[in-house]
Amino acid sequence: MNQNQMKNNLKKLLYHYKFLKLELEDVKEEHSILAGEFETLFSDMIPKEEPESVIDESEPKPKSDDESIKKVYKALAKKLHPDKGGDEERFKKIVEDYQSNNLLGLIDTAVENDVDFNISDDDEKKLEQIIEETKNKIEHYKTTLAYVWKNGNKLQRFQVLSTLGMYLGKPINVENLSADIKKYLE
């Protein structure tokens, strides 16, 4: 593949990634709202969970071993590090993309900030994988109980009740549901 074709493919992947990134943000925001509504609607059924510890005991995220990711990250860091006059929030995003091996996110930031970088032909597969993972995240949010309850059809809502009943360890009797819940089942 010649350099011009590679640049065109990269542009297509970036546009696709940007679109999916926006869609993911929208779906996350919608999910957050729907989850709150769902919890309120079913608050008398769903047991209150103990709040989780505020202390983050997770291991620090590993840095990437991928040479392409390292090269793009280093190029970005040289130009956009806060010590070099860069924006701290933007740099946090760069570090997050680096730690999560998000080559496409790093490339997106590099293109937006006119940072020169080089990637190999093999990296196109990695970029397509990132796009696929983003699509999977979007689909995950769209299959949550709260999302299906609000956006699904009558049959899907009954399936949500069945799933919720399995989670609670007892079947849910439709006659015992509130009028607000029953409205969704009509």
Side-chain angles (χ1 to χ4, degrees):
M1 180 181 304
N2 69 38
Q3 193 66 19
N4 198 32
Q5 289 173 319
M6 190 173 193
K7 284 183 180 181
N8 285 337
N9 282 346
L10 182 59
K11 283 181 183 179
K12 288 176 188 176
L13 290 170
L14 280 174
Y15 286 127
H16 194 179
Y17 174 70
K18 285 181 179 187
F19 171 79
L20 290 172
K21 202 164 75 169
L22 288 172
E23 186 177 356
L24 180 59
E25 288 173 19
D26 287 347
V27 170
K28 277 183 177 179
E29 185 178 323
E30 182 181 10
H31 176 265
S32 178
I33 293 166
L34 294 177
E37 291 173 1
F38 186 82
E39 289 173 7
T40 301
L41 194 60
F42 289 93
S43 63
D44 58 331
M45 286 185 201
I46 302 173
K48 300 281 186 228
E49 293 185 17
E50 293 295 318
E52 294 183 21
S53 170
V54 211
I55 301 170
D56 182 12
E57 298 175 7
S58 62
E59 294 291 319
K61 292 182 181 180
K63 293 180 181 175
S64 178
D65 291 330
D66 184 290
E67 286 304 314
S68 297
I69 292 174
K70 283 182 182 179
K71 286 178 187 177
V72 177
Y73 172 76
K74 285 180 181 181
L76 285 166
K78 283 179 186 176
K79 184 173 181 180
L80 301 175
H81 193 280
D83 292 346
K84 304 276 185 186
D87 178 60
E88 192 171 327
E89 287 303 312
R90 176 174 283 147
F91 192 73
K92 285 180 183 178
K93 168 77 171 82
I94 293 167
V95 171
E96 181 183 310
D97 284 341
Y98 176 62
Q99 290 176 335
S100 62
N101 294 318
N102 185 352
L103 179 59
L104 200 46
L106 291 170
I107 290 172
D108 184 26
T109 303
V111 169
E112 286 178 0
N113 293 281
D114 295 323
V115 175
D116 291 330
F117 61 91
N118 292 314
I119 59 171
S120 68
D121 291 339
D122 296 336
D123 290 325
E124 187 173 337
K125 288 181 184 176
K126 293 176 194 169
L127 301 178
E128 290 171 351
Q129 182 181 0
I130 292 167
I131 287 173
E132 198 58 37
E133 289 169 1
T134 305
K135 287 179 185 177
N136 290 338
K137 287 177 187 176
I138 292 167
E139 286 310 307
H140 166 74
Y141 280 106
K142 290 182 175 184
T143 60
T144 61
L145 294 180
Y147 194 93
V148 173
W149 182 259
K150 184 69 173 192
N151 297 305
N153 59 37
K154 185 177 176 178
L155 175 62
Q156 291 169 322
R157 289 186 181 121
F158 275 104
Q159 290 170 334
V160 167
L161 290 175
S162 175
T163 302
L164 185 58
M166 289 188 324
Y167 168 77
L168 297 171
K170 59 183 176 184
I172 295 176
N173 186 340
V174 176
E175 285 79 37
N176 296 338
L177 296 174
S178 71
D180 289 336
I181 295 174
K182 287 180 182 177
K183 281 192 289 188
Y184 284 93
L185 301 172
E186 298 172 347

